[in-house]
């Protein structure tokens, strides 16, 4: 996943991180890694179930098409006993030829409610990555196989 130009809440990622201590910055990197891991895992699983092969590319000639996800906005949300705010991840996904020609582009968003059973930002963002992987897999299945 590309995070270039990411906005966190109402701030650039650099501004967001500047207000955090070292432990929080490390946690943030892990949270973004969790989005990546869950998005890729579910995208691969769901497309495989649909009979579509999606693999992690190591170079431009690996496949006839490339899936290029880019997260543009993250809201981590908040959990307190008084006030809760859901997480939100907004992603644009381009389908391109290996040389970068854009064939298709979609925008997808997912949010996960903050609750007593899911209070941690990192867990909510991983849930968002998982859901976004499923949404994109469904779209790819539709594009490849059509409506069934």
């Amino acid at each position: 996943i590309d995070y270039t130009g990411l906005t966190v809440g109402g701030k650039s990622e650099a501004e967001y991180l500047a207000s955090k201590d070292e432990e929080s910055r490390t946690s943030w990197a892990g949270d973004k890694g969790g989005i990546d891991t869950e998005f890729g895992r579910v995208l691969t699983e769901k497309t495989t179930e649909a009979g579509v092969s999606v693999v992690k590319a190591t170079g431009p000639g690996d496949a006839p098409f490339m899936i290029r996800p880019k997260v543009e906005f993250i809201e981590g949300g908040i959990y307190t006993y008084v006030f809760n705010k859901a997480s939100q991840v907004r992603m644009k996904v381009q389908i391109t030829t290996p040389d970068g020609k854009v064939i298709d582009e979609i925008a997808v968003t997912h949010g996960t409610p903050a609750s007593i059973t899911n209070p941690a930002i990192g867990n909510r963002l991983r849930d968002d990555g998982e859901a976004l992987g499923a949404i994109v897999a469904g779209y790819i299945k539709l594009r490849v196989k059509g409506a069934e």
Side-chain angles (χ1 to χ4, degrees):
I1 297 176
D2 179 6
Y3 291 96
T4 305
L6 174 64
T7 302
V8 182
K11 302 176 182 179
S12 71
E13 184 177 26
E15 291 171 318
Y16 172 77
L17 291 174
S19 68
K20 303 295 179 186
D21 61 24
E22 186 61 34
E23 183 178 336
S24 295
R25 287 191 291 273
T26 300
S27 179
W28 176 249
D31 294 344
K32 286 181 8 184
I35 295 170
D36 289 355
T37 299
E38 293 306 309
F39 175 82
R41 179 183 65 77
V42 172
L43 174 66
T44 303
E45 286 175 5
K46 297 287 185 188
T47 53
T48 299
E49 289 169 8
V52 178
S53 178
V54 172
V55 297
K56 188 166 186 153
T58 57
D62 287 352
F65 303 102
M66 306 291 283
I67 302 167
R68 300 181 187 271
K70 180 177 181 177
V71 170
E72 299 180 321
F73 175 84
I74 295 175
E75 169 58 59
I78 188 169
Y79 172 76
T80 68
Y81 290 106
V82 179
F83 175 77
N84 301 326
K85 183 177 183 181
S87 63
Q88 185 181 83
V89 178
R90 291 186 213 149
M91 175 186 281
K92 283 197 177 166
V93 180
Q94 291 183 334
I95 311 296
T96 70
T97 58
D99 64 359
K101 179 182 174 199
V102 177
I103 297 170
D104 205 353
E105 182 176 78
I106 62 170
V108 292
T109 301
H110 190 271
T112 301
S115 69
I116 196 165
T117 60
N118 199 2
I121 291 171
N123 290 342
R124 291 192 302 271
L125 293 178
R126 284 167 178 76
D127 290 348
D128 293 331
E130 184 177 313
L132 289 167
I135 292 166
V136 173
Y139 179 76
I140 291 169
K141 177 185 171 194
L142 179 66
R143 290 286 286 157
V144 171
K145 297 197 160 223
E148 293 179 354

